[in-house]
Amino acid sequence: MCNTCGCSITPGNRPLVLAEKPRDGVSTVTVLKNLSSKNDRQAEHNRAHFDRHGVLVVNLMSSPGSGKTALLEATIKRLAGSLKIAVIEGDLETENDARRIQALGVTAFQITTGTACHLDAHLVHNALHQMDLTNLDVLFIENVGNLVCPASFDLGHHRNVILLSVTEGDDKPAKYPVMFRAADLMLISKTDLLPYLDDFSPNRAQQSLRNLASKAPVLELSAHQPQNLDVWINWLHDALKTHRRQLANHQTQRPAIARDDVLLHGEASLRLRPVMPESTRP
Amino acid sequence: MHELSLCDDLLGQVLALGRQHQARSIVGITVHVGGLSGVEPMLLATAFEICRVGTLAEQARLVLEPIPVRVHCNHCGIESETPNNHLQCPVCQSPDTDMVSGDELILARVELDTACV
């Protein structure tokens, strides 16, 4: 990819770009602009807002039922007294998840998306108008349970954490490469059930992720075994420390995959190919 | 199914270019769709049929150019095309690769009818 000038001509698309031929009476404009620019602009706005408050924002993604809310409940209990947490919940309907979090004394805002299968930067921005980020350390965004669409939307967050529960297939990363490539951390959840399942192998799950050339760490845990949460809690503390250090240097963090995107699909480069109108041709 | 909202963004950009260049109509639109962009070309094409009605791009031809996934191997230095879910180097099997192309969703070119301007 072109890292130097921020343009979007990559070795992959260069032959296609150079192959353009002008046609009579028609001007060709080469645009090379990322198509989710509206969402991405809003996401950058959200990120700047989070950074002003020094909050680390973690986007939790997985299939429905892999234990995102249970993990948040266990995490909140473990971090009580050490880190101040808030949660944005995304579901199609009901405020059930937000209530579960609020029952632990933590601020939670529920976004109900109606029929939309993912959160986007605008929905998160609207939620932020209802939330006070002052003195907050970590904001979790529990995305809609879905391994497809949420991967395509930057919310302005800093880290992507993807759960894969042992009751699913261990080949999920191979089936949903767009989602799992976005992981900064993959959590294999519900490991307390492993003794009852003979068809899930944590090693195969990890290999399936490695096949995507992902270097993201893989941790195994169960929300019902608080003693196994240490590695996850340590990861959170480290991520927050790194985030605060970068903020002190006036830098921000983006999920690993979004950093690539900024380089690959940066600003629009516009150039006009001069085409003479037919009437003026010799 | 977010192809419809992406299509809205696509048309917004295309129509803005059309106005900027005082085009009479939009003739063609070319979009690069990477194998790992998370977008289904057929759904995007269907969404375009709906979105373009009544706009300057009503007669436009939408060309969706698939961009294969390519990786550069940091071990052997060779660049190769790979399947969407197997991004290791197919030459030396190293997992230490960087994606060169394949996750883009880019409005690449717009053809405008500006003959009388």
Side-chain angles (χ1 to χ4, degrees), chain A residues 1 8 10-13 16-18 20-21 23 25-39 41 117-118 148-149 152-153 173-175 177-178 181 207-208 210-215 257 260-261 264-265 270 272 277-279, chain B residues 1-2 5-6 8-10 13 17 20-21 27-28 31-32 35-39 44 61 65-68 70-71 74 79 84-88 95-117:
Chain A
M1 75 189 71
S8 305
T10 68
N13 67 23
L16 299 167
V17 173
L18 298 180
E20 312 159 19
K21 297 267 191 313
R23 292 196 293 128
V26 172
S27 353
T28 302
V29 182
T30 302
V31 192
L32 293 180
K33 195 165 178 184
N34 188 0
L35 274 189
S36 42
S37 57
K38 251 193 244 171
N39 182 75
R41 266 198 303 275
C117 52
H118 58 273
V148 187
C149 306
S152 301
F153 291 86
K175 288 179 174 168
V178 176
R181 247 176 47 78
Q207 188 53 49
S208 189
R210 296 289 168 247
N211 286 347
L212 304 177
S214 168
K215 298 178 183 76
I257 194 168
D260 288 352
D261 275 1
L264 198 57
H265 315 313
L270 186 68
L272 254 181
E278 248 167 314
S279 51
Chain B
M1 170 68 186
H2 55 269
S5 61
L6 283 173
D8 194 43
D9 218 358
L10 165 69
Q13 292 192 28
L17 280 172
Q20 187 186 336
H21 297 286
V27 181
V31 177
H32 292 174
L36 281 172
S37 65
V39 170
L44 190 58
R61 185 170 32 85
E65 289 181 358
I67 306 294
R70 293 186 68 81
V71 299
N74 294 321
E79 197 186 299
N84 289 352
N85 56 10
H86 210 98
L87 306 189
Q88 289 162 323
D96 185 13
T97 62
D98 290 324
M99 184 180 284
V100 175
S101 69
D103 67 346
E104 57 267 70
L105 178 68
I106 288 179
L107 170 59
R109 282 189 297 280
V110 179
E111 290 171 62
L112 308 167
D113 178 358
T114 53
C116 288
V117 175

Side-chain angles (χ1 to χ4, degrees), chain A:
Chain A
M1 75 189 71
C2 178
N3 290 0
T4 41
C5 69
C7 80
S8 305
I9 302 179
T10 68
N13 67 23
R14 181 173 287 117
L16 299 167
V17 173
L18 298 180
E20 312 159 19
K21 297 267 191 313
R23 292 196 293 128
D24 291 351
V26 172
S27 353
T28 302
V29 182
T30 302
V31 192
L32 293 180
K33 195 165 178 184
N34 188 0
L35 274 189
S36 42
S37 57
K38 251 193 244 171
N39 182 75
D40 291 353
R41 266 198 303 275
Q42 181 65 63
E44 284 307 323
H45 174 85
N46 292 355
R47 192 171 283 114
H49 185 65
F50 295 138
D51 289 352
R52 268 197 302 279
H53 289 86
V55 187
L56 172 74
V57 183
V58 177
N59 182 21
L60 284 181
M61 296 187 283
S62 77
S63 351
S66 61
K68 294 185 293 299
T69 315
L71 174 69
L72 283 178
E73 289 172 316
T75 306
I76 287 164
K77 285 176 195 159
R78 269 294 292 272
L79 290 175
S82 62
L83 294 183
K84 193 157 185 289
I85 291 176
V87 177
I88 292 177
E89 290 283 349
D91 279 300
L92 272 63
E93 294 290 351
T94 84
E95 303 211 340
N96 295 352
D97 285 358
R99 282 200 207 101
R100 280 168 66 180
I101 301 298
Q102 286 159 355
L104 299 169
V106 164
T107 304
F109 184 83
Q110 179 82 46
I111 299 174
T112 45
T113 58
T115 55
C117 52
H118 58 273
L119 293 179
D120 67 20
H122 299 282
L123 288 171
V124 169
H125 179 250
N126 291 343
L128 291 180
H129 283 301
Q130 322 281 329
M131 298 185 86
D132 181 14
L133 299 181
T134 317
N135 299 324
L136 217 55
D137 293 305
V138 183
L139 172 67
F140 289 103
I141 301 178
E142 184 183 332
N143 218 311
V144 178
N146 175 353
L147 285 179
V148 187
C149 306
S152 301
F153 291 86
D154 185 2
L155 307 177
H157 57 287
H158 305 105
R159 284 285 176 262
N160 281 327
V161 174
I162 302 182
L163 278 75
L164 172 57
S165 64
V166 301
T167 52
E168 303 170 59
D170 51 26
D171 58 350
K172 278 277 167 77
K175 288 179 174 168
Y176 300 92
V178 176
M179 171 60 76
F180 282 88
R181 247 176 47 78
D184 292 294
L185 170 69
M186 181 167 97
L187 295 177
I188 299 181
S189 60
K190 305 190 186 182
T191 51
D192 54 319
L193 298 177
L194 267 178
Y196 310 101
L197 302 161
D198 54 7
D199 52 355
F200 187 98
S201 151
N203 285 342
R204 276 202 304 267
Q206 178 157 357
Q207 188 53 49
S208 189
L209 180 71
R210 296 289 168 247
N211 286 347
L212 304 177
S214 168
K215 298 178 183 76
V218 176
L219 305 178
E220 298 174 29
L221 52 76
S222 160
H224 297 295
Q225 295 175 330
Q227 70 275 16
N228 291 345
L229 288 178
D230 290 356
V231 276
W232 157 240
I233 298 296
N234 290 342
W235 183 90
L236 271 178
H237 279 292
D238 285 348
L240 180 61
K241 228 182 284 170
T242 308
H243 184 53
R244 294 261 160 94
R245 203 169 47 232
Q246 285 191 285
L247 286 181
N249 292 330
H250 307 287
Q251 291 170 335
T252 188
Q253 291 193 106
R254 289 189 172 78
I257 194 168
R259 280 198 296 275
D260 288 352
D261 275 1
V262 167
L263 295 171
L264 198 57
H265 315 313
E267 252 323 287
S269 61
L270 186 68
R271 76 196 152 78
L272 254 181
R273 181 183 294 279
V275 177
M276 276 194 294
E278 248 167 314
S279 51
T280 62
R281 280 182 200 190

